[in-house]
Amino acid sequence: KKDSNDYQISYTSNNSTSTTWNSDKINAIIRTDTLLLTGQKDDKSSIAIIVSSSSVGNYEMSVSDLKTVIAIDKDGSKSKESQFISVDGVVSIFENNKDKKYIRGSFEVNVINLANINAKEKVQGNFTSKYKEY
């Protein structure tokens, strides 16, 4: 059986200093086959991942097609300077165990800063979570 510590979202971003982020809490919901994952740290920094499907597969994202989106708040301040949103990349779902309500996958995306759209970063990460279905 998986330990609750196994459930988390983590990512590394290759900005000027390479930073690694690991969630302290994770929540996942699947509603009408759309996956919503949120991860938060005790310092209030967070990440949200929305994928238009919860089936195993690769989900490309683009600015023109907002079915798959990743939003990151780097310090929890909710200021434009700390918030980043995906512009392109892919979210992959490796496993969706409908019996145990467990989902696992990865993402590799380019994000831009809401205060300065020229501030781009590449973000790579993984997620493993229990989920609730509605």
Side-chain angles (χ1 to χ4, degrees):
K1 189 169 163 62
K2 285 217 171 267
D3 185 310
S4 64
N5 295 338
D6 293 338
Y7 298 118
Q8 69 168 5
I9 299 176
S10 62
Y11 69 82
T12 305
S13 70
N14 73 342
N15 49 3
S16 50
T17 60
S18 183
T19 47
T20 299
W21 186 92
N22 294 300
S23 63
D24 293 315
K25 287 193 298 239
I26 184 170
N27 287 299
I29 295 169
I30 294 175
R31 183 170 185 164
T32 57
D33 201 38
T34 296
L35 171 66
L36 169 62
L37 274 164
T38 57
Q40 191 174 35
K41 276 177 81 112
D42 295 337
D43 67 7
K44 302 286 183 241
S45 60
S46 63
I47 184 169
I49 302 172
I50 300 166
V51 185
S52 59
S53 172
S54 61
S55 303
V56 170
N58 295 324
Y59 299 92
E60 298 271 338
M61 59 179 71
S62 70
V63 188
S64 59
D65 178 12
L66 293 176
K67 287 190 188 133
T68 302
V69 179
I70 293 181
I72 295 172
D73 185 340
K74 289 223 169 163
D75 64 12
S77 67
K78 307 254 187 278
S79 70
K80 281 188 172 177
E81 289 72 22
S82 79
Q83 295 195 53
F84 289 76
I85 191 152
S86 57
V87 286
D88 58 51
V90 66
V91 176
S92 300
I93 297 175
F94 304 136
E95 183 180 0
N96 180 350
N97 185 321
K98 292 180 189 303
D99 296 331
K100 294 185 176 147
K101 304 230 180 296
Y102 161 85
I103 196 155
R104 187 172 65 82
S106 71
F107 50 94
E108 185 170 332
V109 298
N110 290 306
V111 295
I112 57 168
N113 181 263
L114 293 185
N116 173 8
I117 60 166
N118 295 319
K120 263 193 183 171
E121 292 180 21
K122 187 182 222 24
V123 176
Q124 292 176 282
N126 298 290
F127 57 86
T128 303
S129 183
K130 292 287 243 184
Y131 62 83
K132 293 189 173 111
E133 266 184 295
Y134 292 100

